[in-house]
């Protein structure tokens, strides 16, 4: 069954994903970004092979979400999938359910810090444009199929919604739910990554040796992942929409400080729009 590794974009999903790969898939204790292939993204076009007439029609895609997940689960093995998809419904069709899902690790981050990462990662022109991205209840990610790049694993339509709605949607997932705050990964990595390890033990009944946990925590520090990307590159990094240059995926990370860069007017609007949720998470 599927365990979702879910987050709003630029919230630490790939960081946690790399840690899980080190624990579950790296037999030689070598941290590399290629290993992230062991925890793929959902949805991908390959998940809907022979299920759809029009894979770019979100209404048709939504009608096959559960069917595609049942097909993924046909091997009766537990597996992780990364997703930025909101836990939503389109018409009568839900993104997932408890019959196909074993649980969810939900990573959240202070939206005042996410905004700078959105600005950089999605090549937004200003903080104002990045703010509108985060407030947009109809926001979606994805692209139509490019015949000049016919990869079956090309990203497809992902319903994102606003930061607030995305957070609330997954907060309501009741089966084996674990909330992880990005800020705690930064300030107390040993405690937080061990919390994730305990989750694996409780939900998947996997016992991991202490030295492997210690190594995974140290080797998956943000700075080490950044060094690996600088050395080897990272296929999930995207190109700047203007210059075409590849952007660093692991960019500022813990050094992204909204207090130093965010305009007070934009900060105030984010805090107003997301007030209840930010207080609930301890950001206000």
């Amino acid at each position: 069954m599927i365990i979702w590794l879910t987050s709003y974009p630029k919230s630490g999903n790939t960081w946690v994903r790399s840690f899980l790969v080190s624990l579950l898939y790296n037999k030689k204790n070598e941290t590399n970004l290629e290993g992230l292939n062991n925890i793929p993204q959902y949805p991908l076009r390959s998940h809907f092979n022979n299920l759809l007439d029009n894979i770019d029609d979100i209404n048709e895609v939504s009608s096959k979400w559960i069917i595609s997940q049942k097909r993924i689960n046909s091997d009766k093995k537990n597996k992780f999938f990364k997703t930025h998809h909101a836990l939503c419904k389109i018409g009568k069709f839900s993104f997932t359910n408890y019959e196909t899902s074993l649980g969810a690790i939900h990573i959240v981050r202070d939206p005042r810090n996410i905004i700078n990462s959105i600005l950089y990662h999605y090549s937004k022109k200003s903080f104002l444009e990045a703010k509108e991205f985060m407030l947009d209840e109809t926001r979606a990610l994805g692209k139509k199929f490019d015949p000049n790049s016919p990869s079956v694993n090309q990203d497809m339509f992902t319903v994102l919604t606003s930061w607030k709605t995305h957070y609330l949607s997954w907060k309501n997932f009741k089966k084996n739910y674990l909330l992880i705050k990005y800020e705690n990964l930064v300030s107390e990595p040993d405690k937080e990554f061990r919390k994730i390890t305990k989750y694996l033990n409780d939900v998947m009944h996997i016992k991991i040796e202490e030295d492997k946990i210690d190594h995974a925590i140290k080797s998956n520090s943000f700075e080490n992942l950044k060094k690996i990307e600088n050395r080897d590159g990272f296929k999930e990094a995207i190109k700047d929409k203007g210059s075409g240059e590849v952007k660093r995926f692991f960019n500022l990370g813990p050094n992204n400080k909204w207090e130093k860069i965010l305009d007070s007017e934009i900060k105030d609007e984010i805090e107003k729009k997301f007030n209840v949720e930010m207080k609930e998470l301890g950001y206000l």
Side-chain angles (χ1 to χ4, degrees):
M1 294 179 72
I2 297 170
I3 298 178
W4 299 104
L5 192 60
T6 179
S7 72
Y8 193 83
K10 311 314 296 178
S11 298
N13 196 309
T14 301
W15 190 5
V16 174
R17 185 172 157 221
S18 186
F19 172 74
L20 288 171
V21 167
S22 291
L23 288 182
L24 301 176
Y25 302 104
N26 288 356
K27 296 181 179 179
K28 297 181 179 180
N29 281 344
E30 296 177 355
T31 300
N32 63 77
L33 298 178
E34 287 297 316
L36 292 172
N37 294 331
N38 288 289
I39 302 181
Q41 179 175 308
Y42 181 94
L44 294 176
R45 292 174 180 268
S46 58
H47 299 139
F48 297 85
N49 284 346
N50 304 315
L51 290 179
L52 301 170
D53 293 324
N54 183 3
I55 202 165
D56 294 313
D57 181 348
I58 186 58
N59 292 303
E60 187 175 352
V61 170
S62 65
S63 71
K64 304 299 182 182
W65 281 333
I66 300 301
I67 294 174
S68 72
Q69 291 166 29
K70 286 181 177 179
R71 188 161 69 178
I72 287 170
N73 287 331
S74 62
D75 62 2
K76 301 187 183 304
K77 295 180 180 180
N78 295 328
K79 67 272 294 179
F80 284 90
F81 277 95
K82 164 190 173 179
T83 193
H84 292 314
H85 210 293
L87 186 57
C88 64
K89 289 183 72 173
I90 293 182
K92 63 180 181 179
F93 301 109
S94 298
F95 173 69
T96 192
N97 60 27
Y98 297 144
E99 286 68 44
T100 61
S101 302
L102 181 57
I105 299 175
H106 184 192
I107 307 130
V108 298
R109 187 182 187 186
D110 190 326
R112 294 169 298 187
N113 275 329
I114 291 177
I115 191 172
N116 191 41
S117 295
I118 295 292
L119 175 74
Y120 174 78
H121 187 76
Y122 292 108
S123 301
K124 298 302 178 184
K125 297 177 182 178
S126 65
F127 279 110
L128 180 63
E129 191 173 314
K131 179 202 69 176
E132 293 304 319
F133 180 104
M134 296 180 65
L135 294 175
D136 186 359
E137 295 294 350
T138 63
R139 177 65 57 180
L141 303 173
K143 55 194 175 184
K144 289 185 178 293
F145 183 71
D146 180 359
N148 296 315
S149 181
S151 169
V152 295
N153 283 338
Q154 221 172 358
D155 291 356
M156 61 185 297
F157 200 90
T158 295
V159 177
L160 186 60
T161 68
S162 70
W163 178 88
K164 170 183 175 178
T165 299
H166 191 282
Y167 162 66
L168 291 174
S169 74
W170 281 101
K171 171 193 168 184
N172 290 320
F173 193 88
K174 303 302 183 185
K175 183 179 180 182
N176 295 325
Y177 173 84
L178 176 65
L179 179 69
I180 295 292
K181 290 171 62 175
Y182 178 95
E183 293 75 19
N184 292 343
L185 290 173
V186 172
S187 64
E188 299 181 285
D190 191 75
K191 177 182 177 181
E192 291 303 300
F193 282 117
R194 285 181 182 279
K195 187 185 297 183
I196 295 171
T197 305
K198 182 179 183 302
Y199 178 91
L200 299 180
N201 191 6
D202 293 344
V203 175
M204 301 176 70
H205 310 297
I206 296 174
K207 182 65 175 177
I208 300 171
E209 297 177 357
E210 285 296 314
D211 59 343
K212 190 173 183 66
I213 298 171
D214 290 336
H215 182 271
I217 293 172
K218 293 175 183 177
S219 63
N220 284 283
S221 69
F222 186 88
E223 287 305 316
N224 193 47
L225 292 176
K226 189 172 182 175
K227 288 179 182 177
I228 293 171
E229 180 183 18
N230 290 337
R231 183 191 69 204
D232 302 333
F234 184 28
K235 69 178 184 179
E236 294 182 24
I238 63 174
K239 293 182 178 179
D240 184 90
K241 291 182 180 179
S243 67
E245 294 182 1
V246 176
K247 292 175 173 284
R248 292 189 302 272
F249 189 93
F250 297 97
N251 188 33
L252 293 177
N255 294 320
N256 183 3
K257 305 289 187 181
W258 65 264
E259 299 92 337
K260 297 180 179 180
I261 58 176
L262 200 56
D263 178 87
S264 61
E265 186 175 334
I266 292 177
K267 175 192 80 73
D268 290 345
E269 185 171 0
I270 289 175
E271 291 176 353
K272 179 180 178 181
K273 295 289 187 181
F274 303 149
N275 186 269
V276 174
E277 294 72 31
M278 291 179 70
K279 284 181 177 178
E280 181 179 289
L281 289 164
Y283 294 138
L284 292 177

